[in-house]
Amino acid sequence: MTASELPGTVIPSAAAAAEPVPARSAPQRVALVGLFVLLLVSLAGRTGFTFWEPPFDGTVRYDEVRALGGAYWPMHLYLGGPGYAISWVAAGVFFVLLARGRAGVLNLMGALLAGIGGILFALTITAEVLPFAYAADPEVLPEAEGRQLFDVLNMHLDQLLPAIIGTQIAIAVGVLLALIGTLISKTMPRGLSITGIAYVVVFVALPTESLGAGVVAVGYLLQVTLVAAVGWFGLRAGLGRH
C-alpha cells in the first residue's frame, strides 16, 4: 500500500502546490501601497537631511551649528531621526514580504537587524546633537561659554561611537543577509541582489570615506536607490505581482 492509499492521507499535486497566494483584501493592499509611499518619503527626507547637515568628520563645530540657528535641533528631531528609523523599519517589512522557502529565514533575520539597528541609530544621532543645540543657542548660553561647552562635548563624542558604529554594522549585516535571501529565493532580479550585496561589501566593509566627500555622497545615493528598489519589489511581492 502506497502513501496515497493510506486512509486520510492527501498528497497535494504539483498544480495545487503552485497555486498562487489568495489575493489580499483592499485594506491590506492600501496599507502596503501606503507603506511604500512612506518609505519613499522617509528616504527623501533623510537624503535632504544628510546634504543639509554640516559635514561630520568627528567634530561638531560651533560656527556651523550656530549658522543653522534654530533649525539644527528640529532637523534632527523631525527629519533626520524619523527618516532613518522609518526607512529601515519599512525596508525590513518589505524584506519579510520577499521571504520565500528556507532562504526566507535570512530575510527575517536581516529584516530584524535592519529594523532594530535603524531605530537605535536614529535615536543615537538625535540624542547626540541635543547638547550641541543648546550650547549654540545664545539664549541659553553666551557665545564664550557655548564654545567651551562644545570643546568639552567633542572630547566625549567617542562615548557614542560604539552605539553609532554598532547600529550601522547591524543595519549592514541585516541588509546583507536579506539580499542573500532574495538571491537564493530569486524574489528580486538576480542582478539587483548581486549589486546590493556588492554595495554592502564595498561601501560598508571598506574605508570609502578616505576617498573623499564625492564618493561618500555617491555611496549614500546608491544606498537610497537600493532601499527604494527593495521596497518596490517587496510591494509587488506583497500584492502578488511578479
Side-chain angles (χ1 to χ4, degrees):
M1 179 177 291
T2 64
S4 60
E5 297 170 329
L6 293 175
T9 301
V10 177
I11 297 180
S13 64
E19 288 182 359
V21 178
R24 297 183 183 273
S25 65
Q28 290 174 327
R29 295 169 66 87
V30 170
L32 287 175
V33 173
L35 182 63
F36 179 67
V37 172
L38 185 61
L39 172 64
L40 296 182
V41 171
S42 64
L43 288 174
R46 71 179 176 97
T47 299
F49 163 81
T50 297
F51 290 102
W52 180 16
E53 184 185 30
F56 180 72
D57 58 1
T59 300
V60 182
R61 293 174 174 80
Y62 181 90
D63 291 330
E64 292 176 342
V65 176
R66 181 70 179 272
L68 293 173
Y72 185 66
W73 171 239
M75 69 189 280
H76 284 80
L77 182 62
Y78 300 117
L79 187 60
Y84 277 102
I86 293 172
S87 64
W88 287 121
V89 170
V93 173
F94 287 119
F95 273 133
V96 171
L97 291 173
L98 288 166
R100 295 290 185 278
R102 294 182 178 179
V105 174
L106 295 175
N107 290 62
L108 299 179
M109 293 173 58
L112 185 64
L113 283 173
I116 294 177
I119 293 173
L120 293 179
F121 176 76
L123 291 174
T124 301
I125 64 172
T126 303
E128 174 191 19
V129 302
L130 179 57
F132 288 102
Y134 281 130
D137 188 345
E139 295 183 1
V140 177
L141 288 175
E143 181 176 339
E145 295 182 15
R147 290 183 181 274
Q148 291 177 356
L149 183 53
F150 259 68
D151 293 336
V152 174
L153 292 171
N154 278 310
M155 291 175 58
H156 293 84
L157 272 181
D158 57 347
Q159 295 181 4
L160 290 174
L161 284 180
I164 294 176
I165 295 176
T167 52
Q168 289 178 326
I169 291 175
I171 294 170
V173 172
V175 171
L176 182 61
L177 288 175
L179 289 173
I180 293 174
T182 64
L183 180 62
I184 296 173
S185 61
K186 300 178 181 179
T187 50
M188 287 202 317
R190 181 181 178 84
L192 178 59
S193 297
I194 293 175
T195 300
I197 293 171
Y199 165 82
V200 174
V201 173
V202 172
F203 283 93
V204 177
L206 300 179
T208 54
E209 292 82 1
S210 61
L211 300 179
V215 174
V216 174
V218 170
Y220 179 83
L221 293 176
L222 286 176
Q223 178 195 125
V224 170
T225 302
L226 173 63
V227 175
V230 168
W232 171 249
F233 286 102
L235 173 65
R236 289 176 61 85
L239 296 177
R241 299 175 181 174
H242 302 286

